[in-house]
Amino acid sequence: MRAKIGEVLLKRPEELNALTLSMVEAIDAQLAEWTSNPDVTSVTIRGAGGEAFCAGIDLRALYEALAAGDREYGATFFRRFYRLLHRLGTFPKPTLAIMHGATMGGGAALAMQCGIRVATRETYFAVPDCKLGFFPDGAMTAALARCPGQVGMFLALTGVALRARGLVHAKLATHLVPEDRTALVTPILVNQLAVTPAPSPLADIEAHVNQVFGLPSVAEIFGILGVRGGEWARATLGQLQPQSPTSLAVTFRRLRQAQEQAASPSLAEALATDFRLSQHLIDGHDLREGIRTLVLSKDQKPAWQPADIASVTPESIDALFGPVSPIPEWKPAD
């Protein structure tokens, strides 16, 4: 602890600080203690090693547990991870994440629960969950829904990465701080240490993004990109094609819900919905296939089921949003 600042260091640099169950439980327990500790006035989260804030959750551990028949691990991990996210998102003192280096998946979700989100020129931010047969979970869709226009939908479906300028433009980062100043960053000093980013290239394509990703279905997005022509349309279609069709449909519906709700659901409600989805997808085919092909074998040749977006039915997506019997629903106290 430094000057009444509770400091969380994600210290697994050899795995880009990917979150294990023990890390999640340790951080959650420490935050619980700091909540009522008068000697702690704010919390800062950073990653060790210089290459990553946090590249996500430990997918290898999840895959190995499921392969060994340990279904309970998947329920326990997401139950505890979402409890941590809820505690962080409702923490009564200022919270700050320094998103230096790789910030992806579950690491992005962790950062988004902090009120102050610092990017550096070395930040590499992405939500590549659809490429893994999953979806941007942990209330990540709520953060993406706050992006201007359809930028959040574009990022969620394509998995396109942003650097610092794009993150500030998308309202996913609150500040840009030069990397040589990050050791000095605190909630009190961040405004003094931050610099104004140059305009983002994201602004140059925003009109295209809004037009295409505002369409009412993933199938229509594919269709218009296929006939539109031009470098941006071809590149974007190429980014969508490797993704899990089921994940694209789930993510589209989840984010569209977040965008269209007149009154935003509470963090607890958002996490409860995400828990249902996470457990259904754990029991399905595509998440395991995504981990196998992208994390383990790295052959980059997933065999999705179903293999194309036209074969994903509304009924199959409805079922993924329903209860996961006999697994109990998620609650903040879990």
Side-chain angles (χ1 to χ4, degrees), residues 62-334:
L62 176 61
Y63 184 92
E64 290 175 350
L66 295 174
D70 182 6
R71 176 60 180 79
E72 184 59 29
Y73 178 88
T76 299
F77 182 91
F78 285 96
R79 218 175 266 287
R80 303 283 169 76
F81 182 40
Y82 291 0
R83 180 178 67 184
L84 165 60
L85 294 177
H86 186 268
R87 194 183 304 279
L88 184 60
T90 58
F91 200 71
K93 304 170 187 181
T95 53
L96 183 152
I98 299 175
M99 300 184 291
H100 181 68
T103 304
M104 299 188 289
L110 186 70
M112 289 304 106
Q113 293 309 321
C114 291
I116 303 169
R117 301 175 300 279
V118 170
T120 74
R121 293 186 177 91
E122 298 301 318
T123 299
Y124 181 91
F125 180 102
V127 280
D129 302 85
C130 289
K131 199 172 183 179
L132 282 163
F134 204 53
F135 74 106
D137 71 315
M140 189 68 213
T141 50
L144 293 169
R146 294 192 291 269
C147 293
Q150 297 300 322
V151 167
M153 185 69 79
F154 169 67
L155 298 174
L157 297 185
T158 64
V160 164
L162 293 181
R163 295 291 190 171
R165 290 182 294 165
L167 279 175
V168 174
H169 179 86
K171 304 186 187 305
L172 295 169
T174 58
H175 299 79
L176 167 59
V177 173
E179 46 273 21
D180 60 356
R181 301 183 189 178
T182 57
L184 304 173
V185 169
T186 68
I188 293 175
L189 296 177
V190 66
N191 288 329
Q192 298 175 43
L193 297 170
V195 297
T196 301
S200 169
L202 189 58
D204 298 333
I205 63 169
E206 198 166 334
H208 299 304
V209 166
N210 291 341
Q211 185 179 50
V212 172
F213 286 85
L215 290 169
S217 72
V218 178
E220 289 173 85
I221 292 173
F222 269 92
I224 195 66
L225 289 172
V227 300
R228 187 183 179 106
E231 182 180 346
W232 179 80
R234 286 192 296 272
T236 302
L237 184 60
Q239 289 155 344
L240 287 172
Q241 286 170 332
Q243 319 282 20
S244 157
T246 296
S247 292
L248 288 173
V250 167
T251 299
F252 182 89
R253 182 182 295 189
R254 187 78 184 93
L255 185 47
R256 194 62 91 221
Q257 287 175 344
Q259 291 173 329
E260 294 177 351
Q261 284 169 327
S264 298
S266 69
L267 177 57
E269 291 169 328
L271 291 170
T273 297
D274 285 0
F275 182 76
R276 285 185 173 188
L277 289 169
S278 75
Q279 298 309 293
H280 280 299
L281 292 172
I282 280 174
D283 288 334
H285 167 272
D286 279 11
L287 176 58
R288 301 185 197 206
E289 178 66 1
I291 297 173
R292 182 199 66 76
T293 190
L294 295 172
V295 179
L296 303 179
S297 72
K298 300 184 180 179
D299 62 18
Q300 305 289 319
K301 296 178 180 178
W304 304 125
Q305 295 178 2
D308 59 81
I309 195 66
S311 301
V312 180
T313 66
E315 293 77 17
S316 67
I317 302 304
D318 290 342
L320 297 177
F321 280 81
V324 192
S325 179
I327 298 173
E329 300 283 346
W330 179 87
K331 302 183 297 297
D334 283 352

